[in-house]
Amino acid sequence: MGEKRSNHTVFNLNYHFVWCPKYRHAMLEPIEDSLEACFRAVCDEYEYDILSLHISPDHVHLFLSTHPKYAPSEIVRTVKSITARKMWEQHEPYLEEYLWGGGFWEQSYYIGTAGTVSSETIERYIERTEHV
């Protein structure tokens, strides 16, 4: 997790996402391996660097780093929609037991940000540079 560079940008953006399958069913364990492979493929394709991924039976934690050109809402929409479609393609008979009417993920999600410095450190830095 450190600073990354592109042509005109130096950045360190890390997002922690958490979301659940529809109805918060504890159904992810039997499909965990294919779901993890799908997360990794999507993140590779869209240039999201996975820092940590944990799949629990009833929710997912995805901690990633990416370029600032990607909005967090775009990231979560992309990852959730592609993984949902792929899981239905690969596991339809299994998913039909839990997810009547289609869908895969709940619409809601949690997002938090993380960096290498605290907000207090940033505030002190801004205050110091303001008085120069």
Side-chain angles (χ1 to χ4, degrees), residues 1 12-14 63 113-118:
M1 262 190 347
N12 180 13
L13 290 176
N14 305 302
F63 186 40
T113 57
T116 56
V117 296
S118 68

Side-chain angles (χ1 to χ4, degrees), residues 21 24-29 54-59:
R24 192 140 189 184
H25 283 305
M27 55 174 246
L28 299 178
E29 190 172 7
H54 180 74
I55 300 169
S56 293
D58 66 347
H59 67 282

Side-chain angles (χ1 to χ4, degrees), residues 1-2 4 11 13-17 19 32-55 60-67 70 75 79-80 83:
M1 262 190 347
K4 297 178 183 170
F11 59 94
L13 290 176
N14 305 302
Y15 301 111
H16 175 209
F17 296 101
W19 63 82
E32 181 179 351
D33 292 341
S34 58
L35 185 56
E36 180 176 347
C38 190
F39 275 120
R40 295 194 183 282
V42 170
C43 289
D44 284 348
E45 181 179 346
Y46 285 86
E47 300 175 336
Y48 310 147
D49 296 326
I50 295 177
L51 303 174
S52 181
L53 171 64
H54 180 74
I55 300 169
V60 171
H61 288 267
L62 176 61
F63 186 40
L64 59 78
S65 177
T66 192
H67 193 280
Y70 300 113
I75 295 167
V79 173
K80 286 171 69 174
T83 56

Side-chain angles (χ1 to χ4, degrees), residues 66-124:
T66 192
H67 193 280
K69 67 183 175 182
Y70 300 113
S73 58
E74 174 188 346
I75 295 167
V76 75
R77 183 179 63 247
T78 299
V79 173
K80 286 171 69 174
S81 65
I82 294 172
T83 56
R85 187 170 53 251
K86 294 291 185 187
M87 291 303 98
W88 273 105
E89 288 172 6
Q90 296 173 20
H91 304 284
E92 184 173 354
Y94 172 72
L95 295 178
E96 284 177 337
E97 295 176 33
Y98 295 94
L99 304 173
W100 54 92
F104 187 81
W105 300 116
E106 287 286 351
Q107 288 184 352
S108 60
Y109 60 92
Y110 163 84
I111 179 172
T113 57
T116 56
V117 296
S118 68
S119 57
E120 292 84 16
T121 302
I122 294 169
E123 289 170 7
R124 284 195 306 268

